[in-house]
Amino acid sequence: MENLTPVELKTFVPAKTFTQSLAFYQDLGFELAWQSDELAYLRLGTTSFLLQNYYQAEFANNMVMHLLVEDVEAWWQHILTTNLVAKYQVRAEPPEDRPWQMRDFVLWDPSGVLWRIGQNTD
């Protein structure tokens, strides 16, 4: 029988300005694990993604990342404390209870990628 066990799944996140997006994600809390001129491997615990030095507006503006966390209020306070919105001139909306049994907030990165950061409420 074939061994089809996955090891990891990562998405490629576009960056309009690679250095700015890299700094944004590090300020958000991700650790830079590896970097080249075209790609950066960012992780936080067991969560990771690849930031690419590539940008297409239509792609970036339609991409959504979902980060499930243990404490959404702590994450929201981190956004406020680090002054992420003003520093990178991005948008964020405070946490709300959602009908899909989650409390989350939305945050757009400097390239227009939408992040939903939330926790389960059930």
Side-chain angles (χ1 to χ4, degrees):
M1 182 167 204
E2 295 178 79
N3 181 356
L4 302 178
T5 304
V7 173
E8 185 176 26
L9 173 67
K10 290 191 288 284
T11 191
F12 286 75
V13 175
K16 186 174 187 178
T17 306
F18 190 63
T19 55
Q20 180 188 37
S21 290
L22 190 55
F24 170 84
Y25 284 113
Q26 289 176 293
D27 284 349
L28 184 58
F30 286 88
E31 168 196 355
L32 177 62
W34 176 87
Q35 177 183 356
S36 72
D37 291 340
E38 299 300 317
L39 202 59
Y41 175 37
L42 294 155
R43 67 179 173 210
L44 181 60
T46 59
T47 301
S48 63
F49 66 93
L50 296 163
L51 182 68
Q52 58 183 335
N53 192 4
Y54 168 82
Y55 176 77
Q56 182 185 44
E58 197 170 301
F59 173 56
N61 292 326
N62 285 288
M63 184 170 196
V64 180
M65 298 290 288
H66 181 259
L67 180 63
L68 187 62
V69 299
E70 290 182 5
D71 187 344
V72 72
E73 298 301 331
W75 271 85
W76 180 248
Q77 285 306 309
H78 177 70
I79 300 297
L80 298 177
T81 303
T82 57
N83 204 23
L84 213 61
V85 171
K87 183 175 182 179
Y88 293 97
Q89 297 183 357
V90 296
R91 288 183 17 215
E93 296 174 3
E96 290 184 30
D97 291 329
R98 307 294 180 182
W100 50 87
Q101 297 180 331
M102 184 165 287
R103 182 168 179 77
D104 74 4
F105 66 88
V106 292
L107 171 69
W108 285 265
D109 84 352
S111 301
V113 174
L114 172 63
W115 282 74
R116 297 194 80 94
I117 301 175
Q119 76 180 72
N120 292 322
T121 57
D122 60 343

